[in-house]
Amino acid sequence: MSLTLANAALLRTQNFINQQWRDAGQGRRLAVANPATGEVFAHVPDSGDDDAGRAADAAADAFPAWSARPARERAQLIKRWHALILANQEDLARIISTEQGKPLKEALGEVLYGASYVEWFAEEATRICGDIVAEAVPGRKLLVLKEPVGVVAAITPWNFPLAMIARKIAPALAAGCTVVAKPAEDTPLTALALVWLAQQAGLPAGVLNIVTASRESTPAVVDAWLADSRVRKITFTGSTPVGKHLARESAGTLKKLSLELGGNAPFIVFEDADLDAAVDGLMASKFRNGGQTCVCPNRVYVHESVHDDFVERLARRVGALHVGPATDEHAQIGPMINARAVDKIARHVEDAVARGARVVTGGRRVRTADGPHYYAPTVLIDATPEMELSCEETFGPVAPVFRFRDEAEVIRDANDTPFGLAAYFYSNDVRRIWRVAQALETGMVGINEGAIAAEAAPFGGVKESGYGREGSRHGLDDYLHTKYLCQGQLG
Ligand code: SIN
């Protein structure tokens, strides 16, 4: 086994239901492999609908007492969890790197990023408040209360095995909800370690439950929660087709939904931009996690008057990126999550080249000593809207550059997608900044900034990128519903 931890207890390989670590009811196991080498280094439960049902039972039973706890007490428990995450940050980063492949330094950044949401929502727990509304009729009082929605099912992706689940569980617990969670089949160990730390922090039985499942068994787990009327909310990060499936199938019990789905982010460099800052911003946003994030720029639009200069500066930086295994301390781009991911990247680049794009740097698969799941950081020019990479997220280290002539044209092209998660643009013209920021059809806009995610900001999209927000007070509101009280006979 290739994973050595200072705190060996963090390596959990069972489900956690009602305060007990247990195997799947059917006894099936799921192999966890290092994405670079394919080496299987752990096994976790391959759960079914019976395990999902038991987790929902525990969460439903725990809800009345947990939601009735004073907010200050909930906040203290979440703060203790936060402190334990920080105390175990190096081990958590090692688990992330081993099962997901991001370089160790980047994995450590993810632990701190995820922990910042936990701390934020611990603090927000004590600031949940409603309203007292001016009464329309004398002798009446109108009050608005915020109440936890109930049991929440959290379904999370592989690209940020810690941060995505942390920013769902923390607001749910802060609001007074109880949780059933299912992490991605590729990266279950980080989530299990995080839940173990929550147990050490003193969370009561049934408040937080987690089951792991393979790609084949996941539908049974999720369907059990979709059909369960006690599960009042689904929070999901992942693909748009799965998000639409959850929206359709949860209609039977009309659950509340938060869906953080696919993106196709434009990154626009206007002629008045600071080009060095724009290159810095693109490097930060495009090559984070090897290009495997929903907010990575997928289409880079550069004004024709600065196009060649920008491309030259960008290619120099991209060509210098170091590709290597997560254990290589110099690695900046690790392996992609699996062979399918590398095949998709290669297919997008081949399609673009066949339709007239030119490779400035990269444009090829890379095989390192530990395996074939790597792709060279790539810059393409002469990209056009017909290319597959213009319509679909590449989810890899490829920056296709489109040339544009004027603002109206680039806004039309940037918005010409069903997706609307993030957009970025660089300009030093204050009037243009407001015009463009308002014209872009996305939930988030980076203006002269490539790193936009933060615990205090509402993360989420519009159009087919989903709805609901994570982070900020809006992220807590998604776990609360509004109750109106009208008291009469006071005159
Ligand atoms: C994602 O890729 O879904 C999330 C990225 C982030 O939090 O910045």
Side-chain angles (χ1 to χ4, degrees):
M1 172 150 113
S2 58
L3 180 59
T4 309
L5 302 174
N7 181 359
L10 279 169
L11 188 60
R12 312 308 302 181
T13 55
Q14 290 177 301
N15 288 335
F16 186 65
I17 299 174
N18 207 16
Q19 212 70 341
Q20 283 177 357
W21 293 95
R22 47 199 293 173
D23 293 326
Q26 308 291 320
R28 290 190 310 259
R29 305 288 280 166
L30 159 68
V32 188
N34 177 315
T37 61
E39 181 205 359
V40 172
F41 65 95
H43 286 85
V44 295
D46 185 11
S47 309
D49 55 356
D50 49 340
D51 305 296
R54 272 192 282 278
D57 292 344
D61 290 348
F63 177 70
W66 179 248
S67 55
R69 286 279 276 263
R72 172 74 53 202
E73 285 180 28
R74 291 201 303 269
Q76 276 159 355
L77 284 167
I78 302 169
K79 273 190 191 151
R80 226 176 285 153
W81 184 32
H82 172 251
L84 288 171
I85 295 171
L86 292 189
N88 289 275
Q89 56 185 278
E90 266 120 33
D91 274 348
L92 290 167
R94 251 174 242 127
I95 300 174
I96 295 174
S97 263
T98 310
E99 66 177 354
Q100 195 263 323
K102 66 180 56 144
L104 197 57
K105 204 159 123 210
E106 207 176 336
L108 200 52
E110 182 185 339
V111 177
L112 300 181
Y113 175 51
S116 71
Y117 285 93
V118 176
E119 183 177 39
W120 169 271
F121 285 114
E123 291 162 351
E124 285 296 288
T126 58
R127 295 179 197 133
I128 296 169
C129 37
D131 307 303
I132 298 176
V133 184
E135 55 267 34
V137 177
R140 278 194 196 164
K141 289 284 175 212
L142 317 186
L143 300 106
V144 180
L145 306 186
K146 291 287 183 180
E147 293 185 337
V149 295
V151 176
V152 171
I155 304 165
T156 55
W158 53 263
N159 61 344
F160 290 89
L162 187 141
M164 296 302 101
I165 199 160
R167 79 182 186 195
K168 294 181 188 315
I169 293 176
L173 299 180
C177 299
T178 54
V179 178
V180 292
K182 194 210 75 69
E185 48 284 345
D186 297 300
T187 56
L189 296 173
T190 309
L192 293 173
L194 209 54
V195 169
W196 184 76
L197 290 173
Q199 181 191 13
Q200 306 315 301
L203 271 195
V207 168
L208 175 57
N209 310 275
I210 186 166
V211 299
T212 56
S214 63
R215 199 162 275 116
E216 295 70 36
S217 304
T218 289
V221 169
V222 174
D223 287 353
W225 292 340
L226 284 167
D228 192 328
S229 59
R230 299 169 304 174
V231 176
R232 294 312 314 146
K233 178 182 167 94
I234 306 255
T235 170
F236 169 71
T237 297
S239 75
T240 293
V242 174
K244 287 181 181 177
H245 169 79
L246 295 174
R248 271 191 301 271
E249 297 303 314
S250 63
T253 51
L254 282 181
K255 297 183 200 314
K256 199 172 163 93
L257 287 174
S258 289
L259 301 174
E260 201 262 88
L261 309 176
N264 184 3
F267 185 105
I268 307 169
V269 183
F270 285 101
E271 62 276 26
D272 51 55
D274 174 335
L275 292 193
D276 283 330
V279 170
D280 284 345
L282 186 56
M283 295 303 294
S285 54
K286 174 71 243 184
F287 296 98
R288 175 171 171 236
N289 200 20
Q292 303 173 108
T293 91
C294 301
V295 288
C296 277
N298 204 49
R299 298 166 293 155
V300 182
Y301 295 98
V302 184
H303 189 268
E304 59 183 1
S305 66
V306 293
H307 176 277
D308 294 355
D309 191 359
F310 179 83
V311 168
E312 194 190 321
R313 296 182 205 204
L314 177 66
R316 223 178 298 132
R317 294 277 297 278
V318 174
L321 286 173
H322 185 79
V323 178
T327 45
D328 174 350
E329 60 174 310
H330 303 297
Q332 292 162 297
I333 304 285
M336 300 296 104
I337 189 69
N338 52 37
R340 262 182 302 126
V342 189
D343 288 347
K344 180 180 179 189
I345 298 165
R347 178 167 52 77
H348 275 191
V349 172
E350 280 157 25
D351 170 76
V353 170
R355 292 173 195 259
R358 283 182 291 148
V359 175
V360 182
T361 184
R364 62 195 160 78
R365 295 166 187 262
V366 175
R367 173 177 269 282
T368 73
D370 71 343
H373 293 167
Y374 293 87
Y375 201 87
T378 297
V379 177
L380 298 173
I381 55 170
D382 298 336
T384 58
E386 303 72 43
M387 296 172 180
E388 274 184 62
L389 50 62
S390 172
C391 314
E392 202 192 330
E393 267 181 312
T394 302
F395 235 61
V398 177
V401 181
F402 302 68
R403 200 186 282 262
F404 74 91
R405 270 187 304 273
D406 64 56
E407 187 182 305
E409 170 202 349
V410 77
I411 287 175
R412 194 192 57 232
D413 287 352
N415 287 338
D416 187 18
T417 166
F419 302 102
L421 189 57
Y424 308 82
F425 68 93
Y426 277 70
S427 168
N428 280 322
D429 175 339
V430 72
R431 287 197 188 85
R432 167 175 276 158
I433 284 175
W434 281 99
R435 226 172 26 238
V436 174
Q438 288 174 310
L440 287 168
E441 297 169 356
T442 57
M444 298 175 281
V445 182
I447 305 167
N448 296 328
E449 181 56 64
I452 55 174
E455 75 284 6
F459 190 105
V462 297
K463 294 161 72 178
E464 294 189 24
S465 291
Y467 39 75
R469 293 294 179 265
E470 297 193 320
S472 81
R473 67 184 166 79
H474 304 284
L476 185 59
D477 223 38
D478 271 10
Y479 293 85
L480 296 164
H481 60 220
T482 301
K483 182 184 275 180
Y484 158 54
L485 308 183
C486 177
Q487 188 177 4
Q489 307 297 322
L490 295 173

